[in-house]
Structures are given as C-alpha cells and as structure tokens.
Amino acid sequence: MSAANGKKIFTKACAQCHTVEKGGKHKQGPNLWGLFGRKTGQAAGYSYTQANKDKGITWEEDTLDIYLTNPKKYIPGTKMVFAGLKKKKDRANLIAYLKDSTA
C-alpha cells in the first residue's frame, strides 16, 4: 500500500467532492476528517441521505474497501455519484492515504 499513490487517486477522483483536513469544509460530499471509527451518516453539519444514516456500519479499512468498490451497491440510495474503484490495489492505496490524512 502506498499513501503517496493514494493521494494521487484522491486528488483525481475524490477531492472535487471531499476534503480531509481537520475543520475542512463539506463540499458535495462530507469532510472526511475522523472517518475511521465513525458510523455512516455521522459527520457533523453534513446533510446525508436517509440511506447513509440507516446503513449503520462503522468506517474501517474493510468496510471502506467494499464501499469504494461500488458505493451505490453498498449503500443503495446514497447521493455519492462516484462509480467506484475496481482495482483492489487502487482501493488499498486510497485507504492508506485516508488513514494518514484523516486522523
């Protein structure tokens, strides 16, 4: 896993809708600071779909891996428009970056 490669993926595929820094603003998607260990639909001040609030899983490496493969399949009704990352290596690198940058 490479957080540096994950940052490149984040910049290309995620940064348009998400921020990662502490106190970062919500965009089309929520700020991701404190993501790991947080339940779905719980970032303060962000307007989530009911589907996200009701999913009830906790974000960890394994749940993010499933979600990032196909967000709309994992949480039907999510407003996240991202189609997903099909390559396991890309997901692992992105998750490594998120672990480094959101805590």
Side-chain angles (χ1 to χ4, degrees):
M1 290 187 297
S2 165
N5 287 343
K7 183 175 184 174
K8 291 174 190 170
I9 294 166
F10 183 87
T11 300
K12 186 177 96 177
C14 314
Q16 179 179 340
C17 297
H18 294 282
T19 57
V20 293
E21 65 277 354
K22 185 174 185 174
K25 67 178 183 167
H26 297 307
K27 294 167 115 177
Q28 183 174 342
N31 169 268
L32 300 177
W33 179 263
L35 175 68
F36 288 87
R38 184 169 69 208
K39 286 201 178 296
T40 54
Q42 301 297 315
Y46 183 75
S47 177
Y48 285 96
T49 61
Q50 198 60 45
N52 255 288
K53 293 182 212 174
D54 291 347
K55 183 69 176 178
I57 59 103
T58 300
W59 291 123
E60 299 294 350
E61 290 180 44
D62 58 340
T63 50
L64 274 170
D65 184 59
I66 298 165
Y67 182 67
L68 291 170
T69 302
N70 187 337
K72 289 190 180 298
K73 182 177 179 184
Y74 192 55
I75 305 181
T78 185
K79 60 183 171 183
M80 186 154 129
V81 295
F82 181 60
L85 291 170
K86 302 306 172 214
K87 294 179 182 172
K88 177 96 176 151
K89 182 179 178 183
D90 288 347
R91 292 191 309 274
N93 287 337
L94 178 58
I95 291 166
Y97 170 71
L98 289 172
K99 281 198 90 155
D100 283 356
S101 62
T102 64

